Amino acid sequence: MTPEILTIGMFGMLLAAILLGVSLSFALGGTAVVFGLALFGTNGMFTIVSTMFGSLWSILLSAIPLFVFIGVALARSRIAGDLYHAFYLWSGRTPGGLLIGTSGFAATLSAMTGSCAASTVTTGLVGMPAMEQRNYDRRFVLGTIGASGTLGILIPPSITLILIGMQTGQSVGRLFLGGLIAGLVLLAMFILYVAVRSRITPALAPGAGERAPLGERVRSLRAVILPLLVILSVLVSIFAGIATPTEAAAVGAAAVVLSVAIRGELNWSYIRAVSHDTATMTGMVIWIVFGASAFVAVYGGGGGTRFMQGFLMGLEMEPWMVILLMQAITLVLGMFLDPVGIILLVLPIFFPIVTTLGFDPIWFCILFQLNLCIGYISPPFGYNLFYLKSLSPETPIVEIYRAIFPFLFLMLLTGALIFLFPGLLTSFTEVPGAR
């Protein structure tokens, strides 16, 4: 079987399986089994099994359930609600103040959970009632929540950045630092847009009628202390080179348990619910890892990876145009596939080309991750679009698409800035000792 036919056959079968409603992990694994048998006979099964066990032994993979646990434990506690209350009180009477606070809350929640779903849904559940009470424009609110929620896979700790580190061999600490810088730039873009648009059209996001007393606002800051300690316990230990990502995840998990216990919320019902949700989400991620590993092993064994790399390198294009093409492919795939699957499918093809062309690998990986974020809110099938639909069932999906477009432009603009000025990122990621 020629590499061309293999490429069309494997990716065609994968696409057909997804369109038929087969879950991504089984679509990947099933395609690998069919073509493994066609290419190598029963020996192809050994290749698949050995590759899956090889993935299982990665020490970085053990960080995933710990980071998932951190996110689930925080989402299940009342910490998020108290944290949003603090942002609510400090939003003030400025037009758009509560939406600015909501963006900051979503970014903080992203740093605590590392999940777009948790960040988007939790922000919507705790924030939308308050903004509806102030007569905020529904489309403006949904667009801000959907865009801010994408920071969940960009601002560390991010499971997808860990997987990128596994696939590329790059320092997860440096990837986390790059994700943090890019996430803060993106957050600043969102806040600036909300502030300017609210100032121009105050009716979209009216300010509060009265300001909360200073004493009440200061007391509300107590809700920020425990989440901040959890975030710092993870990030500082990685950036300072004190702990590996797996060790830092364990420290963060212990910090979350301690924080919940201090608040008096730790009981058997809470432990059972958190354990169940953690196992469910971890199982989903691990099965996608297994399926994608099998797919890539069969595709690479049949010469597909070399064919695609040769095709991209053989294009008569400037090196920067090749990078731009890769990012465009990632962006399109992000509209249809889970980020975990995209990372495991295309990075083994893209990354050797990036290093051959001499580009900074951390810079490329963060751009790649940013495009996965954009995919999360890109019509027609971006994950966050459907989270927003669940938060506001009465809003037509076309209205949600319209709500997202200004923020899509801002995210593309941020990506363009990082692409054109790599120093915005690379000047911060050269941290000695980051692990």
Side-chain angles (χ1 to χ4, degrees), residues 108 179 345 378:
T108 307
L345 279 177
S378 295

Side-chain angles (χ1 to χ4, degrees), residues 40 44 50 64 86 142 147 263 336 366 373 376:
F40 312 114
S50 61
I64 291 177
L142 290 174
R263 293 171 57 88
F336 302 96
I366 298 303
C373 291
Y376 251 96

Side-chain angles (χ1 to χ4, degrees), residues 283-356:
M284 178 190 71
V285 173
I286 298 301
W287 272 108
I288 294 176
V289 170
F290 285 166
S293 299
F295 186 98
V296 170
V298 172
Y299 184 64
T305 302
R306 289 192 301 274
F307 163 70
M308 285 301 298
Q309 289 174 349
F311 173 76
L312 289 172
M313 290 293 288
L315 293 174
E316 295 183 0
M317 301 168 65
E318 292 292 328
W320 66 269
M321 283 294 292
V322 176
I323 298 295
L324 203 58
L325 177 61
M326 292 179 186
Q327 299 298 343
I329 292 171
T330 305
L331 180 59
V332 172
L333 288 175
M335 299 178 189
F336 302 96
L337 296 179
D338 184 272
V340 174
I342 298 171
I343 290 167
L344 299 171
L345 279 177
V346 304
L347 267 187
I349 299 172
F350 287 174
F351 193 72
I353 298 173
V354 173
T355 54
T356 301

Side-chain angles (χ1 to χ4, degrees), residues 377-391:
I377 59 168
S378 295
F381 301 122
Y383 283 74
N384 269 19
L385 301 176
F386 297 100
Y387 298 146
L388 293 175
K389 180 65 176 174
S390 69
L391 290 168

Side-chain angles (χ1 to χ4, degrees), residues 77-370:
S77 73
R78 292 192 297 272
I79 290 176
D82 292 347
L83 187 63
Y84 187 82
H85 182 66
F87 279 99
Y88 176 85
L89 293 178
W90 283 90
S91 63
R93 290 175 291 183
T94 305
L98 194 51
L99 267 182
I100 292 172
T102 297
S103 298
F105 170 75
T108 307
L109 204 61
S110 298
M112 294 193 299
T113 65
S115 164
C116 281
S119 179
T120 303
V121 175
T122 304
T123 301
L125 289 174
V126 301
M128 285 182 66
M131 288 184 278
E132 287 176 353
Q133 188 178 4
R134 290 193 187 179
N135 296 317
Y136 273 42
D137 179 77
R138 174 64 62 88
R139 189 193 295 183
F140 199 16
V141 169
L142 290 174
T144 304
I145 291 174
S148 301
T150 63
L151 297 173
I153 61 168
L154 187 60
I155 293 180
S158 165
I159 293 170
T160 49
L161 285 175
I162 293 174
L163 291 173
I164 289 174
M166 285 175 54
Q167 289 294 301
T168 62
Q170 297 300 303
S171 161
V172 173
R174 291 183 64 203
L175 287 170
F176 275 8
L177 191 54
L180 179 62
I181 299 302
L184 291 177
V185 171
L186 201 54
L187 176 63
M189 286 280 197
F190 294 160
I191 289 176
L192 183 63
Y193 169 73
V194 169
V196 171
R197 190 176 179 195
S198 299
R199 179 69 67 177
I200 294 172
T201 316
L204 289 175
E210 56 184 24
R211 187 187 299 272
L214 179 60
E216 185 180 356
R217 283 184 284 151
V218 171
R219 284 192 299 273
S220 72
L221 293 178
R222 290 180 297 183
V224 180
I225 296 174
L226 290 177
L228 188 61
L229 290 176
V230 172
I231 296 168
L232 291 177
S233 68
V234 174
L235 299 185
V236 172
S237 59
I238 294 175
F239 296 157
I242 299 170
T244 65
T246 304
E247 293 164 348
V251 171
V256 169
V257 172
L258 183 61
S259 299
V260 174
I262 289 172
R263 293 171 57 88
E265 298 178 37
L266 191 64
N267 53 54
W268 283 114
S269 175
Y270 175 83
I271 293 171
R272 184 169 58 250
V274 169
S275 300
H276 176 270
D277 290 353
T278 299
T280 301
M281 293 179 65
T282 301
M284 178 190 71
V285 173
I286 298 301
W287 272 108
I288 294 176
V289 170
F290 285 166
S293 299
F295 186 98
V296 170
V298 172
Y299 184 64
T305 302
R306 289 192 301 274
F307 163 70
M308 285 301 298
Q309 289 174 349
F311 173 76
L312 289 172
M313 290 293 288
L315 293 174
E316 295 183 0
M317 301 168 65
E318 292 292 328
W320 66 269
M321 283 294 292
V322 176
I323 298 295
L324 203 58
L325 177 61
M326 292 179 186
Q327 299 298 343
I329 292 171
T330 305
L331 180 59
V332 172
L333 288 175
M335 299 178 189
F336 302 96
L337 296 179
D338 184 272
V340 174
I342 298 171
I343 290 167
L344 299 171
L345 279 177
V346 304
L347 267 187
I349 299 172
F350 287 174
F351 193 72
I353 298 173
V354 173
T355 54
T356 301
L357 293 175
F359 289 97
D360 185 279
I362 299 294
W363 168 79
F364 173 81
C365 289
I366 298 303
L367 267 179
F368 181 88
Q369 179 78 339
L370 180 58

